[in-house]
Amino acid sequence: MSEPTATAFKPKSQFLQVLQERGYIHQCTDLEALDKAASEGVVTAYVGYDCTADSLHIGHLISIMMLRWLQKTGHRPITLMGGGTTKVGDPTDKDKQRPLLTDAQIASNMASIQTTFGKFLSFGAAPTDAVMVNNADWLEKLGYVEFLRDYGVHFTINRMLTFDSVKLRLEREQPLTFLEFNYMLMQATDYLELSRRYGCVLQMGGSDQWGNIINGVELVRRVDAKPAYGLTTPLLMTSSGQKMGKSLGGAVWLNADRLSPYDYWQVWRNTEDADVGKFLRLFTELPLEECDRLAALPGAQINEAKKVLADEATTLLHGREAAEAARAAADKAFEHGVLSEDLPTLEVDRAALEAGIPVANLVVDAGLASSRSDARRLAQGGGLRVNNDPVTDGAQLLSLSDLTPEGVIKLAAGKKKIVLIKPI
RNA sequence: GGGGGAAUGUCCCGAGUGGCAAAGGGGGGGGACUGUAAAUCCCCUGGCGUACGCCUUCGUAGGUUCGAGUCCUACUUCCCCCA
């Protein structure tokens, strides 16, 4: 088991070439062997996703892009939904045990998440068509004794205690239940199951999943003596050291009903200068030379590169049309100070507005503040604007007379978050 | 099994003599400066109310007290020592 840093190695397979050139590879159990497999035939690889929320977020995107490249270079991607493992909960990076979700919640989350994959991968029955599976299908059938005898024998407590997910919890003196302790075994059996069902030889994931992935690789090798590889991506951090995945007041969701295409576009538009090249390579499919050229634009010109990044990334998720609308709306709002229909909009009852609604209420309803107190503080801090005029009193009433000629009220929290209020 | 310690602002770390909405960080939000960037500086960061104010918070549940994060009892979880 080695952990090469993937810089010296020159892959022959198109798949690994792309991954390496574009910066997707952090660690791999055996790059050379995997490269050989990928150049000799169709490789089946999978990534597992939790069903703890009803939408994936930007942190998942890097692995989705890898699956996309996998498919584009002639291989078969599997998206594994953690219908079974979600019931246990991955202890990685968590201090406290998560509340257990009900079957209904998990099923509904899963259905909602699945729509995202369809945008990046093509599913079907052809050799390189993507496959979607749910690990509840096999995990729930396992009997306890059978599970212990078939899989439990291959794991030592000594080894499990050395994994970061476990070690961290213990070091921080947080409880780790036996239930959660079993998560890594369950994830390992996923790999074995996929190896048997689909001849899957590769599991990919974020670097925090390295320990879990290794377990699966070893299990497949020990039990079935089949080839199994693991590959992880670097943890996404912005150049200034922040976790990528939060921006403009919350998680960056991939489902449009959680985060509008406009806001999604904004997330990319607000990329730090130093990250532009990296993000272009990871989250767009532009040729490398173009990524490098854009990232090298001097001074304020780099903003053009950010727009391209935003266009391309948004197109992949929401389509070209939505991306262009987002760009046009942003262009009007930021560069010409003009309103656009495509800005996020909150519809309110015309009669209620006629009677007058406190700004603070609208700010909360529009999702620009978490509570009325929060909204009031925003106003007091000078961050709240109505139709471009600062409003410092959260109690101020807005009514029909505040409508612009376009028939809306423009509500802005800070310089970047804008919501239109529209009476209906 | 016996003994000693610990759990704090529902993001994290972390002070806290019985009068505390509770120090200080980090993170997050806003403002200034810029290029919708970074760095820097300033402000805010439990909820409700226009407001003197009211309500809810310090592992859980009770108790003592005019008053409890702070004292007592039981329970839960974690750490340490002895067996």
Side-chain angles (χ1 to χ4, degrees):
Chain A
M1 200 64 53
S2 63
E3 303 180 12
T5 37
T7 40
F9 182 65
K10 290 256 188 296
K12 291 180 197 62
S13 67
Q14 200 196 346
F15 173 57
L16 283 182
Q17 262 174 32
V18 170
L19 255 50
Q20 193 177 65
E21 288 171 347
R22 304 191 77 102
Y24 287 99
I25 301 176
H26 177 244
Q27 289 177 303
C28 181
T29 53
D30 190 342
L31 265 186
E32 292 182 35
L34 177 60
D35 185 46
K36 191 156 176 285
S39 35
E40 285 170 355
V42 173
V43 160
T44 301
Y46 89 98
V47 178
Y49 298 90
D50 247 351
C51 307
T52 42
D54 65 3
S55 168
L56 297 173
H57 56 75
I58 202 168
H60 296 111
L61 197 55
I62 190 163
S63 67
I64 298 176
M65 287 301 291
M66 276 202 299
L67 289 176
R68 187 175 163 88
W69 282 115
L70 178 81
Q71 187 165 48
K72 286 187 93 163
T73 53
H75 305 283
R76 179 166 66 159
I78 298 178
T79 54
L80 173 78
M81 302 305 292
T85 32
T86 297
K87 290 187 178 169
V88 171
D90 186 355
T92 304
D93 198 35
K94 301 281 186 315
D95 272 347
K96 292 165 188 150
Q97 187 180 357
R98 281 192 283 231
L100 299 174
L101 300 173
T102 65
D103 287 359
Q105 282 173 312
I106 290 173
S108 125
N109 287 346
M110 203 183 308
S112 177
I113 286 170
Q114 284 173 350
T115 61
T116 299
F117 292 121
K119 301 185 175 156
F120 291 87
L121 304 170
S122 76
F123 290 83
T128 66
D129 275 349
V131 179
M132 178 120 52
V133 294
N134 178 357
N135 64 14
D137 291 350
W138 53 85
L139 289 176
E140 293 190 347
K141 288 188 197 132
L142 285 174
Y144 190 57
V145 174
E146 175 199 4
F147 175 70
L148 292 179
R149 291 187 57 129
D150 289 353
Y151 306 113
V153 283
H154 298 291
F155 295 84
T156 65
I157 298 289
N158 314 50
R159 184 88 204 285
M160 290 202 280
L161 290 175
T162 66
F163 284 98
D164 280 347
S165 56
V166 172
K167 226 166 41 180
L168 276 174
R169 199 68 93 73
L170 296 180
E171 275 167 11
R172 303 182 73 161
E173 304 179 7
Q174 298 294 331
L176 176 72
T177 63
F178 185 66
L179 175 78
E180 297 169 282
F181 195 52
N182 278 276
Y183 185 90
M184 59 174 87
L185 301 216
M186 296 177 69
Q187 188 166 332
T189 64
D190 284 346
Y191 200 157
L192 184 60
E193 195 64 35
L194 292 176
S195 165
R196 288 174 177 170
R197 292 187 181 203
Y198 300 98
C200 180
V201 295
L202 172 64
Q203 180 183 181
M204 305 188 287
S207 58
D208 58 332
Q209 291 297 313
W210 180 251
N212 285 333
I213 291 173
I214 290 301
N215 275 324
V217 167
E218 293 192 343
L219 186 67
V220 173
R221 287 181 184 168
R222 276 187 208 168
V223 176
D224 285 357
K226 288 280 168 54
Y229 310 103
L231 187 153
T232 58
T233 60
L235 199 63
L236 256 201
M237 303 274 267
T238 67
S239 290
S240 42
Q242 304 300 318
K243 276 172 296 215
M244 171 102 191
K246 290 250 176 187
S247 184
L248 271 74
V252 180
W253 301 105
L254 300 185
N255 281 22
D257 53 1
R258 280 278 199 126
L259 186 75
S260 69
Y262 171 82
D263 286 324
Y264 188 74
W265 194 91
Q266 282 299 314
V267 169
W268 296 107
R269 172 63 249 263
N270 284 296
T271 298
E272 291 177 26
D273 288 7
D275 292 324
V276 171
K278 182 166 75 180
F279 288 180
L280 281 167
R281 283 190 290 275
L282 290 173
F283 300 111
T284 77
E285 293 178 324
L286 295 175
L288 279 178
E289 312 80 67
E290 181 66 0
C291 295
D292 292 342
R293 183 189 72 79
L294 287 167
L297 290 174
Q301 283 181 50
I302 190 110
N303 284 328
E304 289 311 311
K306 294 182 189 181
K307 289 180 196 170
V308 173
L309 170 64
D311 282 347
E312 295 300 312
T314 306
T315 298
L316 281 173
L317 180 63
H318 295 300
R320 179 65 66 186
E321 203 177 315
E324 280 174 5
R327 179 179 190 147
D331 193 55
K332 284 189 198 167
F334 287 101
E335 297 183 21
H336 303 288
V338 181
L339 288 180
S340 163
E341 290 282 305
D342 290 303
L343 290 168
T345 303
L346 173 73
E347 296 180 336
V348 298
D349 184 54
R350 186 164 205 107
L353 187 61
E354 192 162 12
I357 305 175
V359 221
N361 289 19
L362 288 172
V363 170
V364 173
D365 291 344
L368 297 174
S370 58
S371 68
R372 302 201 54 217
S373 301
D374 196 28
R376 225 173 283 130
R377 282 191 290 265
L378 176 71
Q380 275 160 15
L384 178 62
R385 276 163 232 264
V386 174
N387 298 330
N388 301 327
D389 296 324
V391 170
T392 51
D393 180 9
Q396 183 173 322
L397 293 180
L398 295 188
S399 63
L400 294 178
S401 61
D402 292 298
L403 292 174
T404 61
E406 291 86 355
V408 297
I409 299 174
K410 179 181 171 192
L411 217 55
K415 298 224 158 75
K416 297 178 186 173
K417 290 181 284 188
I418 303 169
V419 172
L420 300 181
I421 306 296
K422 192 182 221 167
I424 50 167

